[in-house]
């Protein structure tokens, strides 16, 4: 049986120890579009050789940024074909600004497994500490596994976050590059869904799609630049639900509402009738 909730829920995965450098931070920032305005000092803060400021979304890749093999969806009680899996949601809460270089340890457990009927949702929670044991960030993510539901589990929550009934305070159009997915995969996500046309077709897509976490990082950067004066240290928490695909080369339209200590955000693809890319996006100020 691909999913056994009795084994999966509460299971703790092996601790992951890792280090990162300023070059890793720069690579990640290039992967999510930093440097598109190479003459702006504020933009170049993301790409400083010694002490680049670090987007909190860097936390989603740092532990595996040097990986060169496709990931496996193999956890206690969970064994799923990679072609059936897409990212469902992601949230990162930073407990201090992420330094430009350092080391960390991440401990992850499977928090929930939801039965959506035709699909399953597996939720993971992780805590990352630095070399002294001080908390760096906490993350929560879910994956959506098509065809793996029907095992008799609970359906789980389905609430959404409403957007204000008024014009956004900021509107930003962010072009992506045709090679954006090929660049972003250098940050450690070698899933062939984002690079191999045959694999993407077998998974039901007309062409390789952009990594959801790449869109996640692009939108976080757009919000920081538009609403927070380019200061990534003002982000305390950033969460989103992956609502649709983005093809490399498409432009993202990011709408931002300021809302009492947080930003509410939507991201869509205007070239496809504003097809949603991210939904339920909330940036909470530090």
């Amino acid at each position: 049986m691909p999913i056994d909730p009795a084994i999966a829920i509460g299971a703790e995965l092996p601790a992951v120890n890792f280090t990162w450098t300023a070059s890793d931070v720069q690579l990640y920032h290039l992967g999510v579009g930093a440097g598109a305005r190479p003459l702006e000092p504020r933009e170049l803060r993301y790409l400083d050789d010694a002490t680049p400021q670090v987007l909190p979304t860097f936390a989603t890749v740092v532990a595996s940024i040097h990986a060169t093999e496709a990931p496996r969806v193999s956890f206690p009680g969970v064994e799923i074909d990679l072609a059936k899996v897409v990212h469902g949601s992601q949230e990162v809460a930073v407990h201090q600004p992420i330094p430009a270089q350092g080391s960390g340890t991440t401990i992850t457990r499977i928090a929930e497994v939801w039965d959506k009927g035709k699909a399953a949702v597996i939720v993971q929670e992780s805590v990352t500490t630095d070399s002294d044991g001080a908390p760096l960030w906490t993350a929560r993510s879910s994956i959506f596994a098509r065809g793996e539901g029907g095992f008799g589990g609970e359906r789980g929550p389905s609430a959404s976050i409403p957007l204000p009934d008024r014009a956004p305070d900021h509107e930003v159009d962010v072009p992506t590059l045709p090679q954006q997915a090929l660049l972003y995969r250098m940050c450690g996500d070698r899933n062939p869904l984002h690079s191999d046309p045959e694999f993407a077709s077998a998974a039901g897509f007309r062409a390789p799609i952009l990594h959801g976490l790449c869109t996640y990082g692009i939108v976080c950067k757009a919000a920081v630049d538009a609403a927070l004066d380019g200061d990534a240290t003002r982000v305390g928490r950033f969460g989103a639900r992956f609502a649709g695909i983005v093809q490399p080369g498409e432009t993202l339209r990011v709408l931002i509402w300021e809302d009492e200590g947080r930003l509410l955000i939507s991201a869509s693809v205007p070239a496809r009738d504003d097809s949603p890319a991210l939904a339920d996006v909330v940036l909470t100020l530090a």
Side-chain angles (χ1 to χ4, degrees):
M1 182 178 181
I3 297 178
D4 186 341
I7 296 175
I9 296 175
E12 189 172 291
L13 308 186
V16 178
N17 300 302
F18 54 91
T19 61
W20 72 94
T21 67
S23 292
D24 296 326
V25 173
Q26 290 173 298
L27 175 61
Y28 172 75
H29 286 159
L30 289 169
V32 298
R37 300 179 298 279
L39 302 182
E40 292 186 11
R42 192 175 73 170
E43 181 79 1
L44 293 175
R45 283 190 286 177
Y46 292 106
L47 299 167
D48 185 86
D49 282 334
T51 56
Q53 76 159 345
V54 185
L55 284 169
T57 52
F58 177 65
T60 63
V61 304
V62 58
S64 58
I65 197 166
H66 300 297
T68 57
E69 297 183 0
R72 295 179 59 201
V73 187
S74 180
F75 313 126
V78 177
E79 200 74 41
I80 302 172
D81 181 356
L82 184 62
K84 295 181 178 181
V85 172
V86 293
H87 213 131
S89 63
Q90 180 71 52
E91 181 180 75
V92 172
V94 288
H95 306 298
Q96 56 177 291
I98 300 175
Q101 57 186 0
S103 61
T105 298
T106 295
I107 296 177
T108 300
R109 70 181 185 92
I110 300 176
E112 296 159 355
V113 177
W114 303 120
D115 186 348
K116 300 294 186 180
K118 294 183 178 180
V121 174
I122 298 98
V123 180
Q124 298 181 58
E125 292 180 347
S126 63
V127 176
T128 299
T129 55
D130 65 15
S131 56
D132 296 321
L136 285 170
W137 60 80
T138 302
R140 182 179 172 91
S141 65
S142 69
I143 58 173
F144 188 88
R146 294 170 293 174
E148 298 296 341
F151 51 82
E154 296 184 22
R155 185 167 180 81
S158 57
S160 61
I161 299 172
L163 295 171
D165 186 19
R166 59 179 174 84
D169 297 292
H170 308 274
E171 179 175 329
V172 187
D173 282 352
V174 186
T176 66
L177 300 171
Q179 68 270 34
Q180 196 83 53
L182 298 176
L183 174 59
Y184 183 83
R185 72 192 296 268
M186 302 305 291
C187 296
D189 189 339
R190 302 304 180 98
N191 186 338
L193 178 63
H194 309 293
S195 60
D196 184 333
E198 291 185 5
F199 186 94
S201 178
F205 299 97
R206 65 176 178 82
I209 61 175
L210 193 62
H211 304 68
L213 284 179
C214 183
T215 302
Y216 179 77
I218 290 171
V219 172
C220 183
K221 180 180 182 297
V224 168
D225 292 345
L228 303 180
D229 195 31
D231 184 359
T233 66
R234 294 180 63 189
V235 182
R237 182 187 302 265
F238 186 70
R241 177 173 58 84
F242 300 98
I245 66 166
V246 178
Q247 296 289 346
E250 292 184 320
T251 292
L252 284 164
R253 177 157 296 158
V254 182
L255 306 180
I256 305 165
W257 289 263
E258 298 178 6
D259 183 65
E260 298 182 357
R262 63 180 186 170
L263 305 176
L264 302 178
I265 304 166
S266 73
S268 62
V269 182
R272 288 191 275 112
D273 298 320
D274 283 322
S275 175
L278 296 183
D280 300 334
V281 188
V282 179
L283 186 157
T284 304
L285 301 179

